[in-house]
Amino acid sequence: MKVFRISVSLVLLICALFMLTGSTASAASTWINRTASPGVADLSWHALTSSADGTKLAAVVDVGDVWTSSDSGQHWTNQTTETDASGLFWKSIASSQDGTKLAAVESVFYTGVGDVWTSTDSGQHWTNVSTTTTHLSGQNLLNVTSSATAQNWP
C-alpha cells in the first residue's frame, strides 16, 4: 500500500508541474530519444538518474547492465559488461548531486535475493556493498535514493 501511495503522490506532482507549465504539449515537445543508436535501442531500460545539472546520467537495464552518459544522454557507455555486476536484475539507481556517486539495487523478485551496489567514480567501477553489510544482503530490494552529497555511502 505504501508503494501505491507514493505512486499516486508522484502522479499528482507531475500533473501539477504540467499545469504550472501551461500544457502537456509544451512540456512534451522537448523530449528527444537518446537511445535510438545501435546497441542501446532495444534494451529494457528500468530506471534512470541524473546529476543536478542533467549532464551526467546513469541508467539500469533489467537483466542487463548499468549504463552512463556524461553528455546528457547523447552517448552511452556500458559500465558493467564482463564484470560481476553484468546481467543482474537491476531495479533502481540513484545519483549524488554531481553525478560521481551512484547507488543501484538489483533484486530477483521471485527469489527475494538482491544486493546494493555503489560507485564513487561516476559508474566506472562498482562494489557490491551487501557482501560486507550483512543486513542488506539477500533482501528483495526495489528502490534506492540518495542525498545530494551521498556522504555516508560505503
Side-chain angles (χ1 to χ4, degrees):
M1 191 61 149
K2 186 177 182 180
V3 173
F4 178 73
R5 277 189 239 133
I6 292 170
S7 297
V8 171
S9 299
L10 182 60
V11 168
L12 292 174
L13 176 63
I14 292 170
C15 290
L17 289 173
F18 280 134
M19 286 191 295
L20 289 173
T21 62
S23 75
T24 58
S26 64
S29 65
T30 60
W31 287 94
I32 299 169
N33 184 354
R34 297 288 190 196
T35 60
S37 58
V40 296
D42 296 324
L43 296 175
S44 178
W45 299 99
H46 203 78
L48 174 77
T49 191
S50 170
S51 60
D53 64 3
T55 57
K56 290 185 177 181
L57 304 176
V60 292
V61 174
D62 195 20
V63 192
D65 294 303
V66 178
W67 292 72
T68 60
S69 170
S70 58
D71 57 8
S72 301
Q74 291 186 25
H75 302 92
W76 289 90
T77 302
N78 184 336
Q79 297 290 4
T80 56
T81 189
E82 299 181 18
T83 70
D84 290 342
S86 181
L88 300 178
F89 290 80
W90 295 105
K91 300 300 178 204
S92 182
I93 190 164
S95 174
S96 60
Q97 183 175 356
D98 64 2
T100 59
K101 294 181 181 179
L102 301 171
V105 295
E106 53 96 3
S107 181
V108 181
F109 181 72
Y110 54 88
T111 64
V113 176
D115 288 314
V116 177
W117 294 72
T118 60
S119 172
T120 57
D121 57 8
S122 301
Q124 293 180 31
H125 300 93
W126 288 88
T127 302
N128 183 343
V129 296
S130 298
T131 57
T132 58
T133 312
T134 57
H135 68 279
L136 293 175
S137 185
Q139 300 297 315
N140 190 18
L141 305 166
L142 298 176
N143 292 297
V144 65
T145 189
S146 172
S147 65
T149 60
Q151 66 185 13
N152 292 324
W153 285 2

